[in-house]
Amino acid sequence: MSEPVRWGVLGAANFAREQMARAIHAAEGADFAALATSSAEKAAGFTAFNPGLRIHESYDALLADPDIEAVYIPLPNHLHVGWTKKALAAGKHVLTEKPIAMSAVEIDDLISARDASGLLASEAYMIVHHAQWQRARELYRDGAIGKLIHVDGLFSYDNAADPDNIRNRPESGGGGIPDIGVYTYGATRWVTGQEPLSITHADVDFENGVDVLARVSARFDGFTAHWVNSMRMHPFQEMTFMGEEGVIRLTAPFNANLYGPALVELHRNIGNGHGASVTTERFAAANHYVDQVETFSRSVRTGEPYPWTLEDARGTQAMIDAVFAKAREASAS
């Protein structure tokens, strides 16, 4: 068996402490070896579950550590591109939180840097590693619902009471679409394998320079889609793929087993006046963060294709760019 990939985490973000660092620590083929933070208090939250963790007091010091092979970057959105480039230049494989950039053009630069380095770099788009999404895509591509007619996606939460949250701050690249629109938009693209022909509607509400409620529609080749994303609504999430012969519904598509049980429902018409049947598959054991780390580490060691590339991330970011452009067009008219 090959040696585990030695990982470092750039920054002591709460999400890293609660989710991704623990996933690296738990994943087969990965070794959570180092953390970069100048805060002893924040470091203690990581050494509590990994006592042997090496602590670097700066990001540059971690990147200079010759023992570290891969870096996970959970920094605020506006810092992603710069530190991803620095990590690649330091000879590290890089997994950077979503959105990996604030515009599609920036991802072009990352693709060039990745290609020049010969290293693996990707956005931490964990849902494609979850068994429920792999099953949903399999059902769709096997024709379980016939011709696709429409996709609906909703992902919301409420952080209005936390104005200092980076998602509520424009200077850190905040906003609901960069945070959760990536999921409703990207999941539609990943399951169907299609890019939108046009964004037909974008009704976006802003507060303090960040989007807090977005109602967006798009036309694809042969089907339409509508997504709602909000940081000012009751927490809810669901994705539905509606076809001529059936419906695929995911009830906890983005925070599986935290928001609720990971279920994939297949609704089919029985015919002959007997109504509809619903087949439900459950995926309680899957942890998409651990699966993501294991897949990334395996790709580093074996060279096997990684399922979410920078090109995939660019496609979603191009959609986000188009949504904001459509919203500006609508507000100007």
Side-chain angles (χ1 to χ4, degrees):
M1 181 179 293
S2 61
E3 288 292 316
V5 173
R6 296 179 298 280
W7 285 78
V9 173
L10 220 60
N14 291 337
F15 179 74
R17 184 188 68 244
E18 295 300 321
Q19 298 292 348
M20 275 299 294
R22 292 176 186 271
I24 296 169
H25 189 54
E28 292 187 14
D31 175 17
F32 178 28
L35 171 72
T37 179
S38 59
S39 168
E41 180 182 358
K42 290 182 178 180
F46 293 79
T47 56
F49 64 86
N50 187 8
L53 190 64
R54 184 183 313 135
I55 306 298
H56 293 286
E57 293 192 352
S58 73
Y59 302 158
D60 286 316
L62 187 146
L63 294 183
D65 186 338
D67 191 49
I68 298 303
E69 300 174 86
V71 172
Y72 167 65
I73 300 178
L75 301 173
N77 295 344
H78 69 297
L79 300 176
H80 288 175
V81 170
W83 283 103
T84 299
K85 288 180 177 178
K86 287 184 179 182
L88 287 170
K92 314 300 185 188
H93 303 280
V94 195
L95 183 65
T96 301
E97 259 312 317
K98 55 79 196 163
I100 198 169
M102 302 309 300
S103 71
V105 171
E106 289 183 316
I107 300 179
D108 290 336
D109 291 342
L110 291 180
I111 290 171
S112 296
R114 176 205 62 191
D115 292 348
S117 71
L119 298 163
L120 176 59
S122 187
E123 181 180 63
Y125 197 66
M126 78 290 185
I127 67 169
V128 301
H129 304 278
H130 198 286
Q132 68 168 338
W133 277 106
Q134 293 165 2
R135 179 58 173 152
R137 185 163 80 157
E138 179 183 47
L139 286 169
Y140 168 73
R141 297 191 175 188
D142 285 349
I145 61 172
K147 175 180 169 54
L148 182 62
I149 302 299
H150 185 72
V151 176
D152 260 334
L154 198 159
F155 192 4
S156 64
Y157 60 84
D158 188 355
N159 68 359
D162 187 10
D164 292 330
N165 189 298
I166 60 172
R167 296 165 186 81
N168 285 319
R169 292 162 48 189
E171 68 273 15
S172 59
I177 293 174
D179 187 42
I180 54 179
V182 293
Y183 291 125
T184 52
Y185 305 168
T188 302
R189 296 178 51 251
W190 193 73
V191 167
T192 65
Q194 286 204 38
E195 306 295 338
L197 301 176
S198 62
I199 303 298
T200 57
H201 177 79
D203 183 5
V204 183
D205 294 348
F206 291 87
E207 291 179 13
N208 189 38
V210 299
D211 66 283
V212 297
L213 172 59
R215 316 156 191 87
V216 174
S217 300
R219 181 167 293 280
F220 291 74
D221 183 10
F223 69 94
T224 56
H226 183 72
W227 310 281
V228 176
N229 296 106
S230 180
M231 304 192 299
R232 298 293 184 268
M233 285 169 51
H234 181 77
F236 188 81
Q237 54 186 264
E238 183 177 275
M239 285 290 294
T240 308
F241 298 81
M242 292 166 273
E244 289 182 340
E245 300 172 18
V247 172
I248 299 167
R249 176 173 175 258
L250 292 87
T251 60
F254 310 120
N255 298 120
N257 298 321
L258 293 175
Y259 172 77
L263 307 177
V264 175
E265 297 176 353
L266 176 61
H267 298 244
R268 295 271 298 177
N269 192 338
I270 296 175
N272 298 321
H274 295 296
S277 68
V278 180
T279 303
T280 302
E281 298 183 53
R282 292 168 171 80
F283 302 88
N287 182 314
H288 46 204
Y289 300 117
V290 173
D291 291 342
Q292 176 178 240
V293 174
E294 291 181 347
T295 303
F296 191 98
S297 299
R298 192 164 55 248
S299 293
V300 166
R301 282 287 178 260
T302 69
E304 72 177 49
Y306 190 69
W308 186 258
T309 65
L310 289 179
E311 287 80 1
D312 292 320
R314 190 195 188 285
T316 299
Q317 186 59 53
M319 278 190 65
I320 293 172
D321 294 350
V323 167
F324 282 126
K326 186 70 173 180
R328 290 192 296 269
E329 174 188 311
S331 66
S333 62

